[in-house]
Amino acid sequence: DGGITQSPKYLFRKEGQNVTLSCEQNLNHDAMYWYRQDPGQGLRLIYYSQIVNDFQKGDIAEGYSVSREKKESFPLTVTSAQKNPTAFYLCASSAGGTLEETQYFGPGTRLLVL
Amino acid sequence: AQSVTQLDSQVPVFEEAPVELRCNYSSSVSVYLFWYVQYPNQGLQLLLKYLSGSTLVESINGFEAEFNKSQTSFHLRKPSVHISDTAEYFCAVKRNGFKTIFGAGTRLFVKA
């Protein structure tokens, strides 16, 4: 069964702590994305990666970091520099290489600050 | 710059009534248009998309959207909604490159 998995479903962060959100896909997609969703603001792009070992900042990259060492994995680290991390985080992937390809989303991780 | 405006943040409607969720975009060049649906505490799923050709596109569960180039709109409609259609709906636009721009979302609430 192909798809995208995100873990954990809920994550709690203490002040000054870095936390890492996992995203794995078995769709053989080249491109992967991280979005942040806040109520009434839609989805905002944090980082995206078009190919292994390469990634670009999105619209709200400050306080976040990513890596893309394997095609199927695109973890997101929320650093202590991100002062307002409480949000719903969505990972997505797409086949890449064409303009119209659909994005496939994972179930999301809800991050809460203690 | 590209932008997507969803004109209604919430749309309450009774079951079996028709509904329209409005979406306008700004772009001076050709774009690809999408509607995604998000059920509570889940990720987004593609509902339908317009790439080219016929301006009316349909989904398998009775939704349809019409691309109107002159009005730069891509409104989503369903002639008769069900309780199970309660969800948040996102309009999205894609041009060159890998970035997709999402609207702020419209929460559809279907009442019995």
Side-chain angles (χ1 to χ4, degrees):
Chain A
D1 222 7
I4 300 180
T5 56
Q6 290 186 243
S7 62
K9 187 167 180 157
Y10 295 95
L11 185 58
F12 298 90
R13 193 190 92 162
K14 296 179 183 177
E15 291 288 335
Q17 187 182 36
N18 292 353
V19 292
T20 297
L21 285 61
S22 169
C23 176
E24 304 276 331
Q25 54 100 358
N26 61 1
L27 300 167
N28 200 33
H29 284 170
D30 286 318
M32 296 187 75
Y33 313 80
W34 273 107
Y35 293 94
R36 170 178 171 143
Q37 185 178 18
D38 296 281
Q41 294 195 48
L43 276 68
R44 292 183 289 169
L45 183 65
I46 305 172
Y47 269 97
Y48 63 103
S49 168
Q50 300 175 21
I51 197 166
V52 176
N53 292 321
D54 186 47
F55 50 83
Q56 285 79 41
K57 292 182 179 180
D59 301 316
I60 56 164
E62 186 175 348
Y64 301 96
S65 66
V66 293
S67 62
R68 186 86 187 277
E69 297 175 1
K70 298 186 294 183
K71 186 175 185 178
E72 59 270 22
S73 179
F74 191 41
L76 172 75
T77 296
V78 183
T79 74
S80 57
Q82 173 48 247
K83 296 307 178 189
N84 183 24
T86 297
F88 191 49
Y89 290 86
L90 288 163
C91 179
S93 71
S94 65
T98 59
L99 291 173
E100 73 273 10
E101 78 278 9
T102 300
Q103 291 195 18
Y104 295 82
F105 285 82
T109 292
R110 190 166 298 278
L111 177 61
L112 300 162
V113 177
L114 293 176
Chain B
Q2 245 166 246
S3 69
V4 179
T5 304
Q6 291 186 242
L7 294 151
D8 306 293
S9 60
Q10 296 185 66
V11 175
V13 63
F14 284 104
E15 195 174 21
E16 298 184 6
V19 71
E20 178 180 79
L21 307 183
R22 296 179 292 168
C23 173
N24 286 94
Y25 67 94
S26 65
S27 178
S28 58
V29 299
S30 297
V31 295
Y32 301 104
L33 299 160
F34 305 80
W35 275 99
Y36 287 85
V37 59
Q38 183 181 33
Y39 298 102
N41 295 310
Q42 294 185 27
L44 278 68
Q45 307 169 36
L46 180 71
L47 190 59
L48 47 77
K49 60 184 177 183
Y50 170 77
L51 305 178
S52 64
S54 172
T55 58
L56 185 66
V57 290
E58 298 176 353
S59 72
I60 58 173
N61 57 354
F63 283 94
E64 64 180 31
E66 185 160 19
F67 170 57
N68 187 318
K69 189 175 181 179
S70 62
Q71 297 184 8
T72 59
S73 68
F74 191 54
H75 301 332
L76 182 70
R77 301 184 183 96
K78 188 169 185 179
S80 176
V81 294
H82 303 291
I83 297 284
S84 59
D85 293 323
T86 294
E88 190 155 18
Y89 293 80
F90 291 91
C91 182
V93 169
K94 187 170 187 181
R95 210 188 70 184
N96 291 324
F98 283 80
K99 287 178 65 174
T100 298
I101 308 299
F102 288 87
T106 296
R107 194 173 296 275
L108 175 63
F109 179 57
V110 181
K111 302 177 283 187

